[in-house]
Amino acid sequence: MYIFYNRLFLLVSCILICCSSMAQSKAKKQQSPVEIQKIDVVGTLVVVMQKSPVIILHDTLFNVYGNIGSFTSWQRAKSIQEKIDYLVDDPHFQADSIRFEDTGSYLNLMYQKQILMSVDSLQAAQENKSRIEAAVAYKQKIVETVEMQKHNTSWE
């Protein structure tokens, strides 16, 4: 009878050890995604947005931050510079022709049917402004630059 209880004790002990190790491994598997999600959240909070200057005649007009779609901040800055140069060369340029168009995610600065630049919430946040405040400030800087360039290169 002693041998029977001894074997029963060993069998129950083995079953408990196996169950507890399976429970621990299952708990570790369930905790892993939670830990990964926490790391992802922390990672997105620490992201530093790349900035690129919009430079007109060796002077930084403003910076653009981060990518929009497949365009990097550098590509966006270069495109904005080219569009400002186009406005300087446009003999029919009128400052009040630059308007805002809200697309939901972006606030576009438009000249005629061309998008000069897009302002999203992240871009505005880098300037500590709302989207509309940032867009108005960018418009003002663009208009001032175009008018100054037109004045400096005019024959009069």
Side-chain angles (χ1 to χ4, degrees):
M1 190 77 161
Y2 174 75
I3 295 174
F4 173 75
Y5 287 117
N6 196 11
R7 287 185 180 175
L8 182 63
F9 176 74
L10 286 173
L11 180 63
V12 171
S13 298
C14 287
I15 291 173
L16 289 175
I17 291 172
C18 288
C19 288
S20 69
S21 71
M22 286 175 52
Q24 287 176 353
S25 90
K26 208 176 213 183
K28 285 182 183 177
K29 286 181 183 177
Q30 290 175 350
Q31 289 175 355
S32 294
V34 174
E35 291 173 12
I36 290 171
Q37 289 174 354
K38 287 181 184 175
I39 291 170
D40 288 345
V41 170
V42 171
T44 58
L45 294 175
V46 194
V47 170
V48 176
M49 295 184 73
Q50 178 186 7
K51 73 176 182 178
S52 297
V54 174
I55 300 172
I56 305 295
L57 288 177
H58 309 292
D59 190 26
T60 299
L61 203 57
F62 51 83
N63 292 302
V64 291
Y65 299 87
N67 301 347
I68 291 184
S70 64
F71 297 100
T72 65
S73 62
W74 181 85
Q75 290 170 321
R76 292 174 52 224
K78 184 83 169 141
S79 174
I80 294 167
Q81 288 170 203
E82 291 170 357
K83 291 171 184 176
I84 292 172
D85 289 340
Y86 169 80
L87 295 178
V88 170
D89 294 336
D90 183 358
H92 305 293
F93 172 76
Q94 295 292 321
D96 59 354
S97 296
I98 297 178
R99 67 187 193 291
F100 304 109
E101 185 176 290
D102 192 357
T103 64
S105 299
Y106 305 105
L107 191 60
N108 293 329
L109 271 77
M110 305 287 295
Y111 178 71
Q112 296 172 348
K113 294 182 180 182
Q114 183 180 30
I115 298 173
L116 299 176
M117 71 177 292
S118 297
V119 181
D120 64 357
S121 298
L122 293 173
Q123 171 81 24
Q126 296 297 316
E127 303 285 344
N128 293 321
K129 298 179 179 179
S130 68
R131 278 190 320 158
I132 189 68
E133 290 171 335
V136 168
Y138 295 140
K139 177 184 176 181
Q140 182 178 356
K141 288 179 182 179
I142 291 170
V143 167
E144 288 171 358
T145 300
V146 170
E147 289 177 346
M148 182 181 73
Q149 291 300 318
K150 285 186 164 296
H151 176 75
N152 290 343
T153 58
S154 69
W155 288 92
E156 298 175 11

